[in-house]
């Protein structure tokens, strides 16, 4: 019995000490991590909207809003979140378009988060991937294969194909990574839908 109490006390001390160390490490590292994430986000904003002089945060409608949540799900975007929205401004404060941060929860290896820049006319400047954990050699090709295909397109939505894109609104899928392709394409479409329905739309051309 005494040995059991002794062992339990030792275990308690070890647990408390480990928790204290982890807490100290967290406090030391959280600020550098936050600064690094902020820096990466700002670089991504500039990448997808290089003509903007500054970015102004906008209120994002929450999926807790029942009517919007219903509309969002019916549009097929229940696996997509709009994390934030920023107005892209020129040097005089005029709105040039918007930058959205979008997360897909439908990636093969987990969440995929990226920014996308959209001009007032609906032109998608491009996307910049912030985080992705897909299969090495397959889904991780999203940066090289998918990302360039979205740049400079003005369409209401995208589809993907395995047989070669034949229109501006089609994206060539990553070979062997259909889930990743679908996740990114659907999330981009979610961003476009949010832009069109909540941020003033844009004169998208038809495919």
């Amino acid at each position: 019995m005494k040995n059991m109490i002794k062992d339990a006390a030792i275990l308690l001390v070890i647990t408390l000490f480990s928790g204290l160390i982890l807490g100290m490490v967290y406090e030391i590292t959280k600020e550098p991590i936050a600064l690094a994430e902020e820096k990466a986000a700002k670089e991504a904003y500039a990448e997808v909207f290089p003509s903007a002089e500054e970015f102004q945060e906008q209120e994002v409608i929450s999926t807790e809003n029942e009517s919007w949540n219903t509309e969002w799900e019916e549009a097929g975007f229940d696996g997509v979140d709009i994390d934030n929205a920023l107005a892209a401004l020129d040097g005089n404060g005029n709105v040039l378009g918007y930058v959205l941060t979008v997360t897909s929860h439908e990636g093969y290896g987990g969440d995929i988060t990226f920014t996308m820049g959209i001009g007032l006319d609906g032109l998608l400047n491009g996307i910049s991937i912030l985080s992705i954990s897909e299969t090495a050699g397959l889904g991780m090709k999203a940066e090289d294969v998918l990302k360039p295909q979205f740049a400079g397109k003005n369409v209401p939505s995208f589809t993907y194909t395995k047989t070669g894109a034949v229109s501006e609104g089609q994206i060539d899928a990553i070979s062997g990574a259909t889930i990743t392709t679908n996740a990114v394409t659907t999330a981009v479409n979610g961003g476009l839908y949010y832009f069109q329905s909540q941020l003033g739309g844009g004169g998208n051309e038809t495919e």
Side-chain angles (χ1 to χ4, degrees):
M1 182 68 177
K2 289 182 179 179
N3 287 338
M4 289 178 62
I5 294 174
K6 181 181 178 182
D7 291 344
I10 292 172
L11 182 60
L12 177 62
V13 170
I14 292 173
T15 302
L16 290 173
F17 183 73
S18 298
L20 179 62
I21 294 298
L22 288 172
M24 291 174 62
V25 170
Y26 171 74
E27 288 299 323
I28 292 170
T29 59
K30 70 175 183 178
E31 186 173 349
I33 291 172
L35 289 173
E37 290 176 346
E38 183 180 357
K39 181 175 182 289
K42 287 181 178 179
E43 290 174 350
Y45 301 156
E47 180 182 347
V48 299
F49 225 118
S51 60
E53 293 292 329
E54 62 176 311
F55 300 94
Q56 186 176 83
E57 192 160 351
Q58 308 291 297
E59 184 178 357
V60 174
I61 185 169
S62 172
T63 50
E64 292 181 3
N65 180 306
E66 189 174 343
S67 62
W68 169 247
N69 186 53
T70 299
E71 178 183 342
W72 188 246
E73 290 185 354
E74 288 179 349
F77 303 123
D78 52 315
V80 177
D81 285 337
I82 304 298
D83 300 322
N84 67 21
L86 301 102
L89 310 177
D90 66 14
N92 296 316
N94 299 310
V95 177
L96 301 174
Y98 295 91
V99 172
L100 304 178
T101 302
V102 186
T103 295
S104 169
H105 302 296
E106 298 179 341
Y108 184 81
D111 290 352
I112 301 171
T113 300
F114 58 86
T115 59
M116 54 191 291
I118 315 167
L120 291 179
D121 61 352
L123 179 70
L124 178 60
N125 296 332
I127 70 172
S128 179
I129 297 175
L130 292 173
S131 64
I132 184 171
S133 301
E134 301 298 87
T135 306
L138 293 174
M140 291 302 285
K141 290 182 178 179
E143 181 78 27
D144 298 323
V145 178
L146 295 181
K147 177 180 171 180
Q149 297 187 68
F150 291 105
K153 303 290 182 66
N154 193 332
V155 294
S157 63
F158 291 90
T159 58
Y160 67 88
T161 177
K162 300 179 182 179
T163 58
V166 295
S167 68
E168 189 174 11
Q170 285 189 324
I171 299 296
D172 286 321
I174 302 171
S175 180
T178 304
I179 293 175
T180 303
T181 302
N182 179 67
V184 173
T185 303
T186 300
V188 169
N189 286 340
L192 291 174
Y193 184 85
Y194 188 87
F195 166 72
Q196 294 156 10
S197 61
Q198 300 298 319
L199 298 173
N204 296 96
E205 299 172 4
T206 56
E207 296 182 43

